[in-house]
């Protein structure tokens, strides 16, 4: 995940054939990396390992999300996971959703696609 110049990785994404709801939230008003960038899988927040600091503002040159491939460079012994499947919905908002709004969106997607939340 890359937001506002900061990079993070998570081991929270299951590698399996089941559908999942993934959410990345950036909030530049946070006081540290953990508050500025959050990652959720099926409604459950996942820990992130930050490899660089997350800024307070997004930048079109440094803000993007990798979808379908792990970010790590190919290194002996480091598995690369490439996505081979369908993206059911991609939702992008111009602001950070509140926790209640995020819960509502995840609940909607869970009901729409019959994906259980944790």
């Amino acid at each position: 995940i890359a937001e506002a110049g900061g990079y993070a990785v998570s081991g929270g994404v299951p590698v399996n054939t089941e559908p999942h709801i993934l959410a990345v939230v950036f909030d530049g008003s946070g006081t540290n990396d953990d508050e500025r960038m959050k990652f959720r899988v099926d409604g459950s927040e996942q820990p992130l390992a930050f490899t660089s600091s997350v800024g307070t503002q997004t930048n079109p040159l440094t803000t993007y999300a990798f979808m379908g491939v792990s970010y790590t460079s190919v290194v002996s012994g480091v598995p690369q996971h490439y996505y081979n499947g369908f993206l059911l919905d991609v939702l992008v908002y111009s602001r950070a959703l509140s926790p209640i709004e995020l819960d509502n969106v995840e609940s909607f997607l869970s009901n729409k696609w019959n994906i259980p939340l944790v």
Side-chain angles (χ1 to χ4, degrees), residues 80-102:
Q80 298 293 295
H81 304 289
Y82 296 91
Y83 182 72
N84 181 12
F86 298 98
L87 296 175
L88 302 175
D89 280 312
V90 177
L91 306 174
V92 179
Y93 296 89
S94 61
R95 63 175 177 79
L97 299 182
S98 71
I100 291 172
E101 291 171 322
L102 186 55

Side-chain angles (χ1 to χ4, degrees), residues 2 25 27 31 46 58 63 71 74 76-77 81-83 85 106 111:
V25 177
D27 184 352
T31 59
Q46 303 298 310
T58 60
T63 299
Y71 177 69
V74 177
S76 178
H81 304 289
Y82 296 91
Y83 182 72
E106 289 170 333
N111 291 328

Side-chain angles (χ1 to χ4, degrees), residues 14-113:
V15 179
N16 60 34
T17 60
E18 299 300 316
H20 294 281
I21 298 169
L22 308 178
V24 176
V25 177
F26 167 75
D27 184 352
S29 67
T31 59
N32 59 42
D33 292 338
D34 286 328
E35 291 180 3
R36 290 185 190 133
M37 186 165 39
K38 298 188 182 297
F39 179 59
R40 292 167 52 132
V41 176
D42 298 333
S44 176
E45 189 169 327
Q46 303 298 310
L48 291 172
F50 293 92
T51 58
S52 64
S53 295
V54 179
T56 59
Q57 296 180 6
T58 60
N59 178 322
L61 299 177
T62 60
T63 299
Y64 46 87
F66 291 96
M67 297 172 62
V69 64
S70 64
Y71 177 69
T72 58
S73 60
V74 177
V75 178
S76 178
V78 176
Q80 298 293 295
H81 304 289
Y82 296 91
Y83 182 72
N84 181 12
F86 298 98
L87 296 175
L88 302 175
D89 280 312
V90 177
L91 306 174
V92 179
Y93 296 89
S94 61
R95 63 175 177 79
L97 299 182
S98 71
I100 291 172
E101 291 171 322
L102 186 55
D103 287 342
N104 288 339
V105 169
E106 289 170 333
S107 180
F108 167 78
L109 293 171
S110 173
N111 291 328
K112 178 178 179 181
W113 298 109

